[in-house]
Amino acid sequence: MAAGDHHLRLGSYLGDVSALSFLPSSPRPLLLAGIFLSLSPSLPPIPILIPRSRSPTRRIHAGTGSELLVYDVDAARLVASFKVFDGVRVHGIQPRGLPNCSSGSPPADGLTVAAFGERRAKLLRLRVDADDDGGVVGVRLELEQRLPGFDHWVLDACFLEVDGLLAIGLSDNSVALWDLTEHVFVTRVNSPEKCLLYSMRMWGDSVKSLLVASGTILNEILIWKLVPRTLSSSLLCTDEVEAPAVENRENVYFSDNRYMAVHIGRLKEHEGSIFRISWSSDGSKFMSVSDDRSARMWMLSCQPKNFTNQAANIDNVDIIPKLTLFGHSARIWDCYISDSIVITAGEDCTCCIWGMDGKLIKMFKEHIGRGLWRCLYDPSSLVLITAGFDSAIKVHHLCNSSFHDILEEKVVPDDLKYESEVFEISSPIVSGQYGPLDSKSEYVRCLHFVQENVLYVATNNGYLHLADLSDTNDVRWTEVIQVTEKAPIICVDVMTVHSDSLYKEDIVALGDGHGNVTIVHLSSGNLEPKVDLSFTWSAEKDRQLLGIYWCKSLECSHIFTADPRGVLKLWNIRNVLYSNAHALTTSQEVSLVALFESPFGARIMCLDVSLQDEILIAGDKKGNILAFPFHKTLASHDSSGAQQKIPFCDRFKGAHGISTVTSVHITTSTSDDAQIHTTGGDGCICFFKYGRYVNNVEFVGMRQLKDLGTIQSIYADHVSDTQLIGTYAIGFTSSDFVIWDLGNDAKMVQISCGGWRRPYSYYLGTVPEYQNCFAFVKDHSIHVRRHWAPAQDKKLLPQVLHTQFHGREVHSLCFIDPASYSHPEKSTYLWIATGCEDGTVRLTGYSASNAGRWCSSKMLGEHVGGSAVRDTCFITKTYTLLDKSCNSSGSSGNILVENEETTFLLISVGSKQVLTTWILQPRIAENRQVCSGGLDLDSKQSSECSDNGDSAVTFQWLSTHMPPKLTTNRRKTGHVKQNFEEGNSSAQPNLAIMDQMENDWRYLSVTAFLLKHPTTKLTVCFAVVACSDATVILRALLLPSRLWFDVALLVPQASASPVLVLRHIVDASSACSGDDVGNGDRYIIVSGSTDGTITLWDLTDTIHGFMQLVSETQPHMVIDCQKRPKTGRGSQGGRRRWRSLASNSVKKGSKQTLLPTENDLNASCVAAESSHEISELEENEVITTEDTMSSTHSCDVSEVQPMQTFSGVHQSGVNCLNVSEMDRACPTTGMSSYCIISGGDDQAVQCIVFTLGSPQQSCSMNKASLNSPANGALTILSQHAVPSAHGSAVKGIWTDGVWAFSSGLDQRIRCWKMDPSGKFMEHSHVIISVPEPETLDVYHDRGRGKYHIAVAGRGMQMVEFSPLEDDSMEVARI
């Protein structure tokens, strides 16, 4: 490093975890984990697995990059972090056992830990300071011994306690012995089989008992051991191999004996590379996992403890294959073996638990991305820990309900056995019936749990039974009632009222096939349930009553009924329910209060009412959401007057596509909006807000659970009215019932039941992990699965320790400017938006304090179909257009919109030409319960960010732009240029070929800015996107209407090459530099292409013309917009209208106004108005023809020629580019000067400093090289290049005109000092932990005088830089 390298301070790395280990004999055991960062994709990470002690509390040690992290498992808290290596990644961790220390009491001098990475190994002393209660006061890590460097990678380490040695396994199939007392190498023994290894595992506590299992690159497993050389070579049957000592040390003899290798066995059953080997605790058997997706168990013919150095005994050892396991769909990376179970973890992100008979007991799939690297198991407490590419460390307690019922009894300790019951029951009337059924047969139609031991059963002949499940061997049945005329019971709903802890009342509502509603009031205490009241009235005609619903906000005074035509009826039953009469035969006291009729004509499936917001939200069978006004008088005591027909106030078509809306929940807030979340048959949770004053329902966001085919409801577990402790999604996947923990993103329960179409019911307790019941009907019997443990005796383990991140490569990142936070002056966190190969966009928080840790990561959304995200852009400024028609008296053309009027947008682009926009929402300082407490977060990774008070950067989905489904007339640049040269403006490219390749096109880069019209207050987001088909397009998004327009096609002069990076310049200098104030601001686009060319376009005339035309026509007043994103799972995404790029004519020249004509916009408005007049029954047909309308009435898209082209800037592609305004203006003209700094595949960094010419000069297009100092469009002031700035391709670059930072595939971040002329030189550099870095962004904290540099690729890392105030070459120490 250079002298100033220490001024680039490495921060935390967020990447894949490769090593896990519990620390033994600590007061609260620690778990060690490491982050693997291999530069070789073929070499899997190497973990170290150590069983922990039987202490009731646990800690985990984790390593990230070159660091080790210590986690307290019980508290889910990061205890400490330590940097172990400098520029070397941690591959494995091995704690030293302490047989002389009693369990639970740590030694006074600490614990010894061996950490190794690549060719290095260190012995560290970990000291844990604990209080009287076992809590951690402090953790210290000290260097004990530094082992010399090796010539091969270290694959394993094993402490030989009997001999006081440390055995080091190396990738050349050798073992080195290190004396822990003398701090020297004893010897190094090579195996007679010279080959490179993928894996090695050693077992034993002495040299005599040491067994070595090596997994070779030839798909073989070699088993060998060390013996003294004094034995006869003829008896050993092995070749003598001389092994030089490390670093040319003189050979040292142990007990006057040299050691050599003895070959025991060669195993060839695997058909792929051996990635991992694991020994059992007694060394009698071992597991191997391979590239062939199999796991194999091997048994030694005799116990290793009986091994001696007698050659005869060694020759008699046989290795017997015992078991072969297949179940993973990809390579297997890790394994564990005990006396009772086998655990495997694979590239398919699954962790499988197998019995010793080879049967699959349980499969976990809760990680995402490219693989699950590590699994760690503690048999004493049945705690399983997994870690993978997604950076998450997840804890599974195998005694919970998802595992206990299928776990072998001998595996579970007596003090950990929980109650889990699986049994069948039959109703007395239904029992004994078999064979085919008809309409008059007796069978179960409905089930409804009200407690863990109380189940209501409704039958086809109108019977309602109550089953007491307190004693599974003697289920008590009570016949509650039989509805009149033996009509089938179609629907059931129960409202439970608790008078005290012992007495409760159930109000049961029954709807039968004759359209009657029966209300039964039951009371129960310590005696049998008693029917206090029952009454019936006719609500619908025969077979027209399909749903009956209580609403908690209305208590039990009102009830809703639903028919097949989408009509809801509200009934007032207060007078009857609380009357003194025991039974009523007339329905005179039951009054119909109101009718709510859906315009969609589909059956209402769910509803909720908020009296405070005076709103009723209902969801129907076709995925639509409806909002009805619900005045408080409807729920009043005297609401028995004439019925009212209440029209809807708003609707949202296709909220869940064409799938059924299964549940609706309204959360009242103190803001102007009521928060709503819904679930549906499309496997999505959708969030809406209802404006109290505007009376509209607006889509806010969505969370899709890919593991659930349909979500039936959301269960929110509150410890109090204001504190939410957990949220769970209840649903089905295929034929299984699933309870999904939304906070931990983990599957809690999975039960095979045949699917959601069967009658079923569930009940969850205060701790759903340990308290849950599920019942379903199969073969005329009711199958009940109940797991119920006392909640007060169960302490839940945290589910996620380390922050979960993307599971694949990150292609783009951008800082969220702290100026956009709700309280930027109080915030100590930085938020970063990242886009990933798997199509997800995440928002990750970083603590900018001295701790410097990643605190949280949540997913904003996913691109349609999971298309990869290639670039992101955060828009922080809104510019005001200079309106020439206004009397502005020379005001500047660029005025930032401040405070509440400011709009902050996040844009992401990627594969399949998907462009998604999010808008930053102001933070609401209140507890939003479900909407913000559990559903919008991926995991309960850490509460640090939320505890800070500004946890709040909250984005709302705004719009998604996609190519239309129909054939478009979109042009490639090559066709456009050819037609231009031939003078043919109407020729079209081969549409058939383009349609065939349509799905292969992807967006590569995006840049955008916001512009506000001063008179209409209309805000337009102008986004320029570069596509892989070598086109660059200017698009406009009208806010808040979400209308998209294609404005212009940016055509390069040179041969068409795909653009890899885009940036923009908004130049306000021309507005005040001359006498003509009408010149206004200028909008310049800068691009870098795959051929090494940098091009500039001037879009000023195009943008001004578009803003003028939109202000005159105002299409947003009549044209509908897209309301909801598509999910790729059957959801239609609401109504989708935007302008396509299709055009039948292309205007020539860059001087023409590049915007849609007024006739085009008016035609679209007329079409939109007519569509609103069509009935809802024809709305699907209207939506189908929207793309056709968009194509036939599309706006003419004109070409924009470049204002400047720099050829040959780089010898190959321009991978990264950044533009900044220089601090000093041009000395001759006084105009602002700008610098373009770029990096490419040629490893070079280039810098060009220039000033923009007048708008009149920019009309003449010039092609320039770097040797052209000036032309009509701009003036080049200086240029500078560093040919070999990095050792490989430059992938990220940033500058503010004073300092510049670059990153390359050489895993270096280099800091460059720039002078006013643009010349720069390297100031310092640092080695980062991110393999294959692809993107870089920098935030300059001017208040603290720091630069925060974020770099991402396979993971993400933060680096801090603090220059001196005088910007000299010497910088302050951090």
Side-chain angles (χ1 to χ4, degrees):
M1 281 190 175
D5 279 358
H6 58 272
H7 296 301
L8 279 171
R9 190 182 71 166
L10 284 173
S12 297
Y13 170 77
L14 194 60
D16 45 340
V17 180
S18 67
L20 294 175
S21 179
F22 287 113
L23 279 183
S25 302
S26 62
R28 299 177 61 173
L30 298 168
L31 178 62
L32 309 178
I35 303 299
F36 177 71
L37 306 168
S38 174
L39 295 177
S40 174
S42 62
L43 184 64
I46 310 300
I48 301 296
L49 305 181
I50 294 294
R52 70 169 182 83
S53 66
R54 292 176 178 264
S55 175
T57 55
R58 289 152 293 275
R59 287 189 186 84
I60 184 173
H61 196 177
T64 172
S66 57
E67 291 183 321
L68 292 180
L69 305 182
V70 182
Y71 273 94
D72 187 332
V73 176
D74 296 322
R77 181 174 63 92
L78 177 64
V79 178
S81 63
F82 308 97
K83 185 176 181 180
V84 179
F85 298 111
D86 185 9
V88 175
R89 295 154 300 279
V90 176
H91 290 174
I93 311 163
Q94 177 68 59
R96 184 178 184 181
L98 299 171
N100 297 328
C101 295
S102 60
S103 177
S105 58
D109 57 347
L111 303 169
T112 300
V113 177
F116 54 89
E118 297 187 4
R119 295 177 174 87
R120 302 183 186 180
K122 288 184 179 181
L123 291 177
L124 309 170
R125 178 69 64 175
L126 186 68
R127 304 178 188 274
V128 181
D129 300 328
D131 55 22
D132 296 335
D133 298 329
V136 176
V137 177
V139 177
R140 294 169 292 160
L141 189 69
E142 302 170 358
L143 177 62
E144 183 175 313
Q145 300 178 36
R146 179 185 287 109
L147 277 66
F150 296 94
D151 54 354
H152 287 80
W153 279 38
V154 179
L155 299 183
D156 194 15
C158 180
F159 285 96
L160 307 179
E161 296 293 343
V162 175
D163 303 322
L165 299 175
L166 174 66
I168 304 293
L170 303 174
S171 61
D172 64 343
N173 204 15
S174 66
V175 174
L177 299 179
W178 174 266
D179 192 318
L180 296 173
T181 304
E182 301 296 332
H183 299 180
V184 294
F185 276 110
V186 175
T187 186
R188 178 172 173 180
V189 182
N190 284 39
S191 168
E193 298 289 338
K194 294 183 178 181
C195 60
L196 294 179
L197 306 181
Y198 273 105
S199 59
M200 175 188 285
R201 287 308 300 272
M202 296 178 288
W203 178 90
D205 59 359
S206 66
V207 176
K208 292 182 179 180
S209 63
L210 183 65
L211 290 175
V212 182
S214 305
T216 73
I217 61 175
L218 304 177
N219 308 339
E220 297 177 342
I221 302 176
L222 303 178
I223 309 299
W224 55 285
K225 72 184 312 302
L226 276 64
V227 297
R229 182 179 291 276
T230 54
L231 293 179
S232 172
S233 60
S234 61
L235 294 177
L236 296 177
C237 300
T238 183
D239 298 329
E240 182 175 329
V241 180
E242 294 292 340
V246 180
E247 291 189 348
N248 297 322
R249 291 179 180 266
E250 184 178 354
N251 290 344
V252 180
Y253 293 88
F254 179 75
S255 298
D256 297 327
N257 292 317
R258 288 288 304 273
Y259 287 89
M260 61 187 306
V262 175
H263 181 75
I264 297 178
R266 182 194 305 269
L267 309 175
K268 300 181 179 181
E269 279 73 6
H270 279 290
E271 298 178 359
S273 302
I274 314 300
F275 289 145
R276 180 67 172 166
I277 299 172
S278 178
W279 289 93
S280 62
S281 59
D282 59 359
S284 62
K285 51 185 175 291
F286 64 92
M287 287 292 301
S288 61
V289 294
S290 169
D291 190 24
D292 61 6
R293 306 180 183 182
S294 71
R296 298 175 186 269
M297 184 174 71
W298 313 86
M299 184 78 70
L300 300 183
S301 59
C302 62
Q303 291 293 329
K305 63 183 179 180
N306 297 328
F307 283 0
T308 65
N309 288 331
Q310 299 297 324
N313 290 346
I314 296 175
D315 292 338
N316 292 331
V317 176
D318 293 328
I319 304 174
I320 306 169
K322 295 292 294 182
L323 196 63
T324 302
L325 305 175
F326 286 96
H328 288 272
S329 60
R331 294 177 289 184
I332 307 178
W333 291 123
D334 199 10
C335 59
Y336 170 88
I337 182 172
S338 70
D339 294 333
S340 55
I341 61 173
V342 171
I343 302 175
T344 57
E347 192 179 27
D348 56 0
C349 294
T350 62
C351 180
C352 296
I353 303 175
W354 311 80
M356 299 306 290
D357 56 356
K359 293 183 179 179
L360 180 63
I361 298 177
K362 186 66 178 178
M363 177 184 291
F364 296 99
K365 189 175 182 180
E366 298 169 7
H367 291 265
I368 58 176
R370 293 202 177 275
L372 198 161
W373 298 132
R374 294 295 158 254
C375 61
L376 177 64
Y377 180 64
D378 177 22
S380 64
S381 61
L382 300 182
V383 172
L384 172 65
I385 298 179
T386 58
F389 196 102
D390 60 359
S391 184
I393 300 175
K394 297 199 173 185
V395 181
H396 312 268
H397 201 254
L398 302 189
C399 284
N400 69 6
S401 60
S402 64
F403 187 80
H404 173 77
D405 59 316
I406 51 179
L407 194 64
E408 298 181 43
E409 285 296 324
K410 62 180 179 180
V411 180
V412 185
D414 293 336
D415 57 341
L416 292 176
K417 292 182 179 179
Y418 301 160
E419 297 182 6
S420 185
E421 303 165 293
V422 179
F423 55 94
E424 297 182 20
I425 60 175
S426 296
S427 172
I429 299 179
V430 179
S431 179
Q433 295 195 18
Y434 302 97
L437 304 176
D438 55 30
S439 59
K440 296 183 179 180
S441 300
E442 181 67 326
Y443 56 88
V444 176
R445 275 186 168 268
C446 303
L447 299 176
H448 199 292
F449 267 115
V450 291
Q451 285 183 347
E452 72 276 10
N453 56 358
V454 178
L455 177 67
Y456 285 100
V457 180
T459 68
N460 187 57
N461 287 338
Y463 287 94
L464 177 67
H465 295 273
L466 185 148
D468 186 346
L469 309 179
S470 301
D471 185 358
T472 58
N473 296 322
D474 184 19
V475 177
R476 293 186 300 171
W477 289 91
T478 302
E479 181 179 326
V480 179
I481 196 173
Q482 182 183 18
V483 299
T484 57
E485 304 176 6
K486 293 187 178 181
I489 298 178
I490 305 299
C491 46
V492 176
D493 200 7
V494 181
M495 174 79 74
T496 300
V497 180
H498 292 273
S499 301
D500 52 47
S501 58
L502 299 177
Y503 184 83
K504 69 179 185 67
E505 299 177 353
D506 290 339
I507 315 297
V508 184
L510 307 172
D512 61 40
H514 292 170
N516 300 320
V517 177
T518 301
I519 304 295
V520 182
H521 184 187
L522 290 91
S523 60
S524 61
N526 296 327
L527 303 176
E528 295 286 339
K530 175 185 177 183
V531 177
D532 296 331
L533 178 68
S534 65
F535 56 93
T536 304
W537 77 94
S538 177
E540 297 287 348
K541 299 179 181 178
D542 283 0
R543 300 183 180 181
Q544 297 300 301
L545 179 60
L546 298 183
I548 187 165
Y549 311 102
W550 294 108
C551 188
K552 290 184 178 180
S553 60
L554 303 180
E555 298 178 344
C556 49
S557 60
H558 293 74
I559 194 169
F560 290 91
T561 59
D563 68 2
R565 301 177 302 277
V567 177
L568 269 179
K569 294 181 179 180
L570 177 63
W571 303 87
N572 185 353
I573 62 173
R574 176 186 298 273
N575 296 334
V576 185
L577 188 62
Y578 296 104
S579 64
N580 294 325
H582 180 71
L584 300 177
T585 57
T586 65
S587 59
Q588 297 178 355
E589 297 296 329
V590 177
S591 58
L592 178 60
V593 178
L595 281 81
F596 306 87
E597 186 172 354
S598 168
F600 300 108
R603 171 189 168 188
I604 301 298
M605 301 297 295
C606 52
L607 58 88
D608 195 12
V609 173
S610 173
L611 292 178
Q612 178 178 336
D613 300 309
E614 296 188 335
I615 184 68
L616 182 150
I617 304 295
D620 66 18
K621 193 173 183 179
K622 294 185 178 180
N624 308 308
I625 298 294
L626 299 118
F628 296 90
F630 196 94
H631 198 271
K632 294 180 180 179
T633 56
L634 295 177
S636 61
H637 293 196
D638 55 351
S639 60
S640 58
Q643 69 182 40
Q644 306 178 41
K645 187 174 182 180
I646 301 177
F648 69 93
C649 59
D650 196 16
R651 59 184 178 178
F652 196 104
K653 182 175 177 61
H656 286 272
I658 57 176
S659 303
T660 301
V661 183
T662 54
S663 70
V664 174
H665 180 74
I666 303 175
T667 303
T668 302
S669 64
T670 58
S671 63
D672 295 336
D673 301 319
Q675 310 297 326
I676 304 166
H677 76 260
T678 64
T679 62
D682 58 349
C684 295
I685 306 170
C686 294
F687 301 94
F688 302 86
K689 64 180 181 181
Y690 175 78
R692 295 188 179 95
Y693 303 111
V694 295
N695 294 329
N696 72 327
V697 177
E698 182 180 354
F699 180 86
V700 174
M702 177 177 63
R703 178 171 179 182
Q704 181 179 359
L705 298 181
K706 296 182 179 180
D707 293 86
L708 295 182
T710 175
I711 303 177
Q712 295 297 319
S713 62
I714 297 296
Y715 175 82
D717 186 13
H718 293 82
V719 69
S720 64
D721 294 337
T722 59
Q723 183 180 359
L724 178 70
I725 62 175
T727 52
Y728 304 83
I730 315 299
F732 293 85
T733 173
S734 184
S735 60
D736 295 344
F737 172 78
V738 174
I739 300 178
W740 188 270
D741 186 346
L742 293 170
N744 292 307
D745 200 19
K747 187 186 299 180
M748 301 309 305
V749 175
Q750 183 170 0
I751 305 170
S752 180
C753 62
W756 58 271
R757 297 183 183 275
R758 299 175 181 268
Y760 73 91
S761 181
Y762 67 90
Y763 183 77
L764 303 182
T766 56
V767 186
E769 288 88 336
Y770 299 103
Q771 297 178 334
N772 54 78
C773 302
F774 180 69
F776 64 96
V777 176
K778 181 180 179 181
D779 299 332
H780 305 284
S781 297
I782 302 173
H783 297 252
V784 181
R785 182 198 181 282
R786 180 171 61 187
H787 181 82
W788 207 265
Q792 63 273 14
D793 297 336
K794 309 306 171 189
K795 180 180 179 180
L796 293 181
L797 291 174
Q799 297 298 311
V800 179
L801 297 181
H802 201 244
T803 302
Q804 187 169 24
F805 194 51
H806 293 288
R808 293 181 179 269
E809 292 78 5
V810 178
H811 295 307
S812 62
L813 66 83
C814 61
F815 277 95
I816 305 301
D817 193 335
S820 63
Y821 299 174
S822 56
H823 301 289
E825 68 283 354
K826 299 180 181 180
S827 177
T828 59
Y829 294 91
L830 293 175
W831 294 90
I832 302 173
T834 53
C836 180
E837 176 70 24
D838 61 3
T840 60
V841 178
R842 298 185 74 93
L843 192 65
T844 305
Y846 179 82
S847 172
S849 62
N850 292 331
R853 290 293 165 198
W854 302 103
C855 58
S856 177
S857 182
K858 61 181 179 180
M859 190 170 71
L860 293 183
E862 183 178 13
H863 277 208
V864 176
S867 56
V869 179
R870 306 300 305 185
D871 196 15
T872 54
C873 173
F874 182 64
I875 309 174
T876 59
K877 298 179 180 179
T878 302
Y879 299 93
T880 300
L881 181 70
L882 178 62
D883 190 355
K884 299 179 182 180
S885 62
C886 301
N887 185 13
S888 57
S889 66
S891 60
S892 174
N894 292 285
I895 304 174
L896 292 183
V897 183
E898 303 291 344
N899 300 330
E900 68 276 5
E901 297 181 359
T902 304
T903 301
F904 301 99
L905 297 183
L906 176 65
I907 297 178
S908 63
V909 297
S911 301
K912 302 187 184 299
Q913 298 174 280
V914 176
L915 189 156
T916 304
T917 309
W918 285 273
I919 185 170
L920 182 66
Q921 293 295 298
R923 186 66 176 177
I924 302 173
E926 62 170 299
N927 190 323
R928 292 174 56 191
Q929 295 182 357
V930 173
C931 289
S932 66
L935 301 186
D936 61 341
L937 296 178
D938 278 337
S939 62
K940 302 172 185 175
Q941 298 154 1
S942 175
S943 59
E944 294 180 16
C945 291
S946 58
D947 293 341
N948 181 258
D950 183 60
S951 42
V953 178
T954 303
F955 281 92
Q956 170 187 332
W957 173 87
L958 183 65
S959 179
T960 298
H961 186 286
M962 292 178 60
K965 295 180 181 179
L966 300 182
T967 301
T968 64
N969 298 331
R970 176 173 173 177
R971 297 168 170 268
K972 291 184 64 175
T973 305
H975 294 99
V976 174
K977 188 174 186 297
Q978 178 182 358
N979 294 334
F980 177 78
E981 293 173 350
E982 297 175 356
N984 180 11
S985 61
S986 60
Q988 298 294 321
N990 190 330
L991 299 180
I993 297 178
M994 294 192 65
D995 286 341
Q996 184 179 358
M997 302 176 61
E998 186 87 24
N999 291 333
D1000 294 333
W1001 301 140
R1002 60 188 182 276
Y1003 289 143
L1004 300 178
S1005 185
V1006 62
T1007 186
F1009 53 89
L1010 286 164
L1011 195 58
K1012 185 173 183 178
H1013 198 280
T1015 56
T1016 63
K1017 304 299 181 181
L1018 182 68
T1019 301
V1020 179
C1021 174
F1022 288 97
V1024 181
V1025 291
C1027 188
S1028 59
D1029 63 354
T1031 57
V1032 182
I1033 311 148
L1034 172 64
R1035 288 196 167 97
L1037 172 63
L1038 273 62
L1039 301 177
S1041 61
R1042 305 177 183 177
L1043 283 176
W1044 282 100
F1045 289 89
D1046 290 341
V1047 181
L1049 183 66
L1050 281 60
V1051 183
Q1053 279 189 327
S1055 60
S1057 297
V1059 171
L1060 296 177
V1061 59
L1062 289 168
R1063 294 295 183 266
H1064 71 271
I1065 302 173
V1066 179
D1067 180 34
S1069 60
S1070 60
C1072 54
S1073 60
D1075 297 333
D1076 184 10
V1077 298
N1079 288 341
D1081 47 6
R1082 298 179 63 188
Y1083 309 96
I1084 310 297
I1085 299 299
V1086 184
S1087 70
S1089 306
T1090 56
D1091 60 356
T1093 300
I1094 294 179
T1095 308
L1096 286 79
W1097 285 276
D1098 189 347
L1099 304 181
T1100 305
D1101 292 340
T1102 303
I1103 290 174
H1104 285 176
F1106 182 85
M1107 292 292 291
Q1108 180 181 354
L1109 183 56
V1110 169
S1111 65
E1112 295 174 357
T1113 58
Q1114 298 190 13
H1116 59 284
M1117 300 299 294
V1118 290
I1119 300 181
D1120 200 358
C1121 64
Q1122 183 190 18
K1123 296 181 178 180
R1124 173 193 187 275
K1126 302 180 74 174
T1127 63
R1129 294 183 61 182
S1131 298
Q1132 302 303 307
R1135 308 186 65 175
R1136 183 164 60 96
R1137 285 193 175 109
W1138 56 66
R1139 316 303 298 169
S1140 75
L1141 186 60
S1143 62
N1144 293 324
S1145 62
V1146 179
K1147 297 183 181 297
K1148 302 178 184 179
S1150 62
K1151 294 183 180 181
Q1152 300 185 18
T1153 302
L1154 310 172
L1155 46 94
T1157 63
E1158 185 173 356
N1159 292 334
D1160 292 327
L1161 290 177
N1162 289 336
S1164 299
C1165 296
V1166 172
E1169 288 176 343
S1170 62
S1171 68
H1172 284 294
E1173 299 174 0
I1174 302 176
S1175 66
E1176 291 299 332
L1177 295 178
E1178 301 174 352
E1179 187 161 359
N1180 289 333
E1181 182 178 353
V1182 175
I1183 295 176
T1184 305
T1185 61
E1186 286 174 358
D1187 288 333
T1188 304
M1189 178 203 71
S1190 180
S1191 297
T1192 56
H1193 298 285
S1194 61
C1195 44
D1196 292 337
V1197 178
S1198 301
E1199 296 180 20
V1200 177
Q1201 299 293 333
M1203 64 177 290
Q1204 188 73 53
T1205 300
F1206 297 101
S1207 300
V1209 179
H1210 290 274
Q1211 297 178 9
S1212 55
V1214 181
N1215 294 330
C1216 50
L1217 180 148
N1218 193 259
V1219 180
S1220 176
E1221 184 176 359
M1222 303 295 288
D1223 287 345
R1224 299 180 184 180
C1226 177
T1228 57
T1229 63
M1231 300 180 64
S1232 298
S1233 61
Y1234 298 89
C1235 72
I1236 299 176
I1237 187 168
S1238 61
D1241 285 334
D1242 57 0
Q1243 307 176 13
V1245 172
Q1246 297 275 357
C1247 180
I1248 305 173
V1249 180
F1250 63 93
T1251 60
L1252 293 172
S1254 64
Q1256 289 78 12
Q1257 291 175 319
S1258 65
C1259 295
S1260 61
M1261 283 74 71
N1262 293 313
K1263 181 179 180 180
S1265 66
L1266 286 180
N1267 297 323
S1268 302
N1271 55 69
L1274 54 83
T1275 301
I1276 299 177
L1277 301 180
S1278 64
Q1279 48 200 348
H1280 182 64
V1282 177
S1284 298
H1286 285 265
S1288 56
V1290 182
K1291 302 296 289 186
I1293 202 162
W1294 181 93
T1295 184
D1296 61 354
V1298 179
W1299 294 94
F1301 304 93
S1302 62
S1303 64
L1305 292 179
D1306 56 358
Q1307 293 188 218
R1308 265 70 172 173
I1309 289 183
R1310 300 190 184 274
C1311 174
W1312 310 88
K1313 182 69 173 66
M1314 302 183 65
D1315 61 20
S1317 65
K1319 185 175 293 186
F1320 56 95
M1321 63 181 297
E1322 183 178 354
H1323 174 269
S1324 59
H1325 74 273
V1326 68
I1327 302 174
I1328 58 176
S1329 299
V1330 180
E1332 304 171 12
E1334 293 194 33
T1335 180
L1336 173 144
D1337 195 19
V1338 179
Y1339 166 67
H1340 185 192
D1341 188 349
R1342 289 179 169 81
R1344 297 181 175 91
K1346 288 185 179 182
Y1347 290 86
H1348 298 276
I1349 309 153
V1351 60
R1354 284 184 55 186
M1356 182 167 61
Q1357 188 171 15
M1358 188 75 75
V1359 180
E1360 293 183 1
F1361 175 69
S1362 298
L1364 286 176
E1365 295 181 358
D1366 58 0
D1367 289 340
S1368 65
M1369 293 301 298
E1370 294 295 328
V1371 289
R1373 292 178 177 268
I1374 298 179

